[in-house]
Amino acid sequence: MQKLNLPPSDFKLKSEEGNQFIFDIVRKKYLVLTPEEWVRQHFIHLMVNHLAYPKSLIKVETGLAYFKSAKRSDIMLCDREGSNFLLVECKAADVKIDRKALNQVSVYNKELKARYVALTNGMVHFIWEYRSDENKYYQLKEFPKFV
């Protein structure tokens, strides 16, 4: 897999019947190692090991409905009260972060109402704060502290 612009981590990898798998520390199971999963797992490790976000408050690939369409958010960090704090949309490293990707995560957040939204392909990362009173997103330079 491609080297990403994220801190290296000690991943548990295994091969079975010609397929590569990576262990998800949140869901506590091995998953097929796709380019998007590679980014997602790196980002989860960043959140837990470098940003000190509580692993117990992270949800991965949870379902949501939007205009009768079933969708899945990649990573959601909840605050201590159980409200959505940070929504992260992951793309494979070769997928360009463009208006389409930004629209996707903003559509998801209309339903999820997270205070912060991030978009990453493992090479570039963007983070915004959503201010519901203004109905506007403001780009941030770093990830929010979890308190």
Side-chain angles (χ1 to χ4, degrees), residues 71-89:
K71 304 288 183 187
R72 284 190 323 221
S73 63
D74 282 318
I75 304 170
M76 177 59 76
L77 172 68
C78 296
D79 63 20
R80 296 194 192 285
E81 286 75 45
S83 298
N84 294 333
F85 181 76
L86 170 63
L87 168 63
V88 182
E89 178 63 25

Side-chain angles (χ1 to χ4, degrees), residues 119-138:
L119 187 54
T120 183
N121 65 3
M123 304 307 288
V124 293
H125 326 288
F126 298 96
I127 178 82
W128 296 272
E129 179 180 11
Y130 176 67
R131 296 185 188 159
S132 58
D133 57 330
E134 301 174 48
N135 195 30
K136 286 187 178 178
Y137 287 92
Y138 293 90

Side-chain angles (χ1 to χ4, degrees), residues 6 39-47 75 88 120 143:
L6 288 163
V39 173
R40 187 170 22 254
Q41 293 306 314
H42 269 80
F43 212 85
I44 289 169
H45 281 255
L46 168 77
M47 292 171 72
I75 304 170
V88 182
T120 183
F143 285 87

